[in-house]
Amino acid sequence: MAALSDKLADAYQNARPTYPIDWFTKLAARTGQHKLAWDVGTGNGQAAIGLAEYFEKVVATDINEAQLKRAVKHERISYNLTPTTMSEDQMVALVGGDNSVDLIVAAQAVHYFDLAPFYNVAKRVLRKEGGLIAVWVYNGLVISPEVDSIMKRLEDSTSPFRTPVMNLAFDGYKTLPFPFESIGMGSEGKPIMLDIPHKLSLKGFIGFLRSWQPAVKAKERGVELVTQDLINKFEEAWGDDDNDVKDIFYKAHMIVGKLSASDIERHRKRFETNCVVAKLKDSNNSVVIASVTAVAFAGLAAYCAYSARKNT
């Protein structure tokens, strides 16, 4: 995602919708535990706030410092800047370790990621029993026939400036690789469609357009798509009262998955190669000690201890 200036970051925060709480209710109901959630690409924390209602701890990460500075504070949320120079092991350790996360959420974000390394990290940190990953995107909004027709022409004009990953969003994640097993809430190539209700003023709408990634990308290449002439057309289509707040909705697309049996088996074998189990006996009972011989992640250590007990 292109880094936003302070001004555009403010516009981004003001114009973006609040995700429906029932999304988080349904996702939390499907996870095995509620100890830790990871909101990756958190932006200003819109999804993290929803997760904090259901999980004991939320780790929220982003590469954009300007947005993190505006993130909504919450006692259960820790916000973390994650530069692209971080290694896989560093990211795993920051999030909570192998086999530690109950729910991963990437809201309006995963299409900007380098997918292969992200999915590697996700498969490592996701809890092998009961862990879920959910990704969603909203790729359009419905305001009124007059405004929507102008918006459609603007969307078409962004085509030369859209990157392949931005087109993943425009396609509603229908072409997004998603190497996880479906739980009945969308699947690779078949996201479920949802609506996000929102209230938006003309000022908020113009702020949305100016912080909209295709428009930002075009401006970086010297082309201003959100011109004053275009703004005048939107103002005319909006109606007589510029302060009128309209009930609108964003069109959203979601996919939710879990680790496949083959992924779980592959990670089990990887973990076991890093576990050294010693069995000590005394006159009263057996004691099993498990130690981690590789990187000492808490999640990995817990797995080793569990494996040791199981094999006793």
Side-chain angles (χ1 to χ4, degrees), residues 1 104 295:
M1 182 175 181
I104 300 172
V295 182

Side-chain angles (χ1 to χ4, degrees), residues 1-2 54 61 79 81 87-88 139 147 163 165 189 204 213 224-225 231 249-250 253 261 271 278 289 291-292 301 304:
M1 182 175 181
Y54 297 94
T61 61
Y79 290 101
L81 183 66
S87 70
E88 179 180 312
N139 63 352
V147 174
T163 64
V165 293
Q213 283 295 302
E224 179 63 78
L225 294 180
I231 291 172
F249 65 86
Y250 290 84
H253 312 264
F271 289 168
I289 299 175
S291 63
V292 180
C304 292

Side-chain angles (χ1 to χ4, degrees), residues 7-18 44 46 138 141 196-212 248 250:
K7 184 177 180 180
L8 288 182
D10 282 336
Y12 180 98
Q13 183 174 16
N14 293 334
R16 264 50 186 182
T18 299
N44 48 57
Q46 290 158 306
Y138 52 89
L141 48 86
I196 307 176
H198 190 52
K199 292 184 181 293
L200 195 63
S201 66
L202 176 62
K203 181 180 178 181
F205 176 60
I206 300 304
F208 163 82
L209 295 179
R210 286 178 168 152
S211 65
W212 188 38
I248 70 161
Y250 290 84

Side-chain angles (χ1 to χ4, degrees), residues 7 40 46 56 74 77 162 187 189 227 232 239 272:
K7 184 177 180 180
V40 54
Q46 290 158 306
E56 295 175 16
H74 192 287
I77 302 173
R162 299 201 302 253
S187 61
T227 63
N232 292 340
E272 287 182 348

Side-chain angles (χ1 to χ4, degrees), residues 12 24 35 37 51 68 70 74 77 81 98 166 174 178 184 189 196 200 214 257 276 278 282 301:
Y12 180 98
F24 302 100
K35 294 181 178 179
L51 292 169
L68 287 175
R70 289 159 176 76
H74 192 287
I77 302 173
L81 183 66
D98 289 86
M166 290 169 70
K174 293 183 181 69
F178 192 73
I196 307 176
L200 195 63
V276 174
D282 60 22

